[in-house]
Amino acid sequence: MRNYFWLIPLFPLLGFMLNGGFGLWKVARTGTRPAKPFVYCVACGSILLSLLLSLTCFIALLQVDPHDRVWEFELFSWIHGPALQTVTGDLANFQVSWGFQLDPLSAVMILVVTGVGFLIHVYSIGYMAEEEEGFYRFFAYMNLFMFMMLTLVLANNYLLMFVGWEGVGLCSYLLIGYYIEKKSAGDAAKKAFVVNRIGDFAFIIGMLMIFTYFGSLDFTEVFHGVEEMFPTPETLWGPLCWIALLLFIGATGKSAQIPLFVWLPDAMEGPTPVSALIHAATMVTAGVYMVARSSAIYSRAPDVLFIVAVVGICTALLAASIAMFQNDIKRVLAYSTVSQLGYMFAALGVGAAAAGIFHLMTHAFFKALLFLGSGSVIAALHHEQDMRKMGGLRKHLPRTWWTMGIATLAIAGVPGLAGFFSKDEILWRSFSNPEGHLVFWLVGVLVAGMTAFYMMRMMFLTFHGEERLSPEVASHVHESPNVMTVPLVILAVGSVFVGYLGLPAWLGPNVFEHFLEPAFETSYHGAGESVHAAHSTEILLTLVSVALAGLGIYLAYQFFLKNKEKAARLRERFSGLHSIIYNKYYVDEAYDVLFVSGGTGWGRFFGAKNWGRFLSAFDNNVVDGAVNNSAAMTKFVAWGSGLVDIHFVDRIVNLVGETFEFFSTVLRKIQTGLVQRYALFFVIGIILVISFYLYMGV
């Protein structure tokens, strides 16, 4: 398997090419779309092949010595750049390979991505059954998304990781804006695209600094260079701290952390399977994975680790508070995702990378289940998403109800379920690790209680109490077909049992953490090790977190099932605070004023009476004077440039124009204006280039 794991991302790419290419060809040729069974088999079959190969590679990895569980495979040499000087004075050739790395960390990620991704693909068959226009386009985008995500987690260097990083960003834009006829979907897609580019710019600067200091972008070489150049932790603000901070800013964009979290709730405009794919196991976890992969850097930048922990725990608290007051079922889950990602970054910040990845894995199961379950509810109610218009659905959707119930209890931290074990590990590490702090634990426990409250609120409003359905909707409510509910059952099983891979110390060995040790053995070197404490302390802290989760469940029962008048009275009494939180602290509005409409706002400010006089005088005497005095020089330069333009430039331009006119006649037939077709040509070109390199043995 050592020489074949690079095939894992290839199968989704082939699925994209078959569905996308054949679909476009058939529409252009016959005016009809591919048969749905063909599209379903190609889309789901390609992911299934990747899943089976991932499982095979994982088993093969388990059979070797833990210190040999790092496999690399270079497909071809990608970039041959010039020799550049590093900060040490040495010359380093800018060379990047198209290579992959399989180790315990990437093995966990590919299993999560392909496993949960396959179930989402199967679920999509039922969810998109009524789609007639672009179903082949939807599944082609989903396959391309999986290819990019698998490329991201298997890459053995930062630049190839960035290719997958940008690729999932492009695919998220296409999938969030899938309903192109909806303005809100288009706006959400553009918002996600723009916000992520902010973080990506920081990622690029971080990569440039990495090469400048270490002369390579390859993970192995960079991390060994970190050990040699920075044997001890660096103080603020050295070069390694700046590298770590820039990479983290990139992660805040992709994983929706403060201040770049605003795109993710709006991403709910896409189809529900897209929400599950983006919010559960793939795109939003990319930032967590990147920081965990770069733990060798972060372990020697403790000040940045503190920033990571603070941003993570603050994001968890902020998003949890917003989720408590949302009425759209998908937006509740969206803010829940932002909050849980904050938990993961808090774990990374306190030096508990294994705990963060553990929560990433458990979260993938119960959050995918929650999104797919909400999709089952939405489909049954003819796309109604307001929980205030639901209620009493338990008897109509029994399978959806009990599977979502398991996921809700899991994310609430009920003992025995997956979310309890991963969340408890993060809370314990936040308290006991040298990089941890009592405040981190206190906020984490508070967020755990808030999570239990808003998730049970969602369940009570949706499935319990009196029916609030319109007569038209109530007459057509029915359980989703098996193709949608079977994935829910499988994810429910995972939401129960995957947590037992990471038992707390007082219950048994943490198999998951032990498995991940080789991926972090060159990084932490004692950082993140828990302070020796009695098991009684950990048990006591666990009981506190469970008690707060129980309190959250009880309050949700009291306010939204037993005595709804209490909730109404509290909203009325604290109407101002409720309005602020319900409107998401007006963060979007603030961003709009500062960055979107900022120019208009400043214009109004400076357009005030007094400022207006000043600006008018400045314009007349300074700006106009400079312009007028330069007019003569401009005329002279224009006369000279005109001669050059007529007798030299025009002749060249005309020749070029005639040449392009000739070739445009040939190429005009393929210029259809369809972005999908251009993307297909782009991918085909990449495949041809790769094939050429493989054939030539370069």
Side-chain angles (χ1 to χ4, degrees), residues 405-561:
I406 290 175
T408 299
L409 296 176
I411 194 175
V414 173
L417 303 181
F420 163 77
F421 295 105
S422 59
K423 192 174 294 185
D424 178 71
E425 184 68 14
I426 293 175
L427 292 174
W428 170 241
R429 295 287 185 174
S430 299
F431 177 84
S432 63
N433 279 16
E435 298 85 354
H437 198 281
L438 178 61
V439 175
F440 295 159
W441 179 83
L442 288 172
V443 177
V445 169
L446 176 62
V447 172
M450 295 166 68
T451 302
F453 174 84
Y454 68 70
M455 290 305 303
M456 292 306 301
R457 169 181 178 265
M458 182 195 73
M459 289 295 296
F460 291 144
L461 289 177
T462 303
F463 294 100
H464 298 267
E466 73 279 3
E467 288 189 8
R468 298 178 298 277
L469 311 176
S470 65
E472 182 181 356
V473 172
S475 61
H476 295 91
V477 176
H478 58 85
E479 182 64 275
S480 299
N482 289 334
V483 73
M484 294 174 64
T485 57
V486 169
L488 302 184
V489 174
I490 297 174
L491 289 169
V493 173
S495 299
V496 175
F497 293 108
V498 295
Y500 291 89
L501 296 174
L503 295 175
W506 54 275
L507 283 180
N510 194 317
V511 178
F512 188 83
E513 184 175 354
H514 180 70
F515 174 71
L516 286 179
E517 282 180 358
F520 304 128
E521 64 180 358
T522 62
S523 32
Y524 278 88
H525 291 301
E529 294 180 1
S530 299
V531 176
H532 292 289
H535 289 328
S536 58
T537 304
E538 185 176 0
I539 295 173
L540 177 62
L541 296 178
T542 299
L543 291 176
V544 172
S545 66
V546 172
L548 277 180
L551 177 62
I553 295 173
Y554 173 76
L555 291 176
Y557 170 76
Q558 287 290 326
F559 290 152
F560 301 102
L561 195 60

Side-chain angles (χ1 to χ4, degrees), residues 147-149 151-152 159-169:
F147 163 71
M148 292 298 182
M149 188 66 198
T151 299
L152 189 157
L159 190 58
L160 185 57
M161 175 190 279
F162 188 73
V163 171
W165 188 276
E166 288 298 288
V168 296

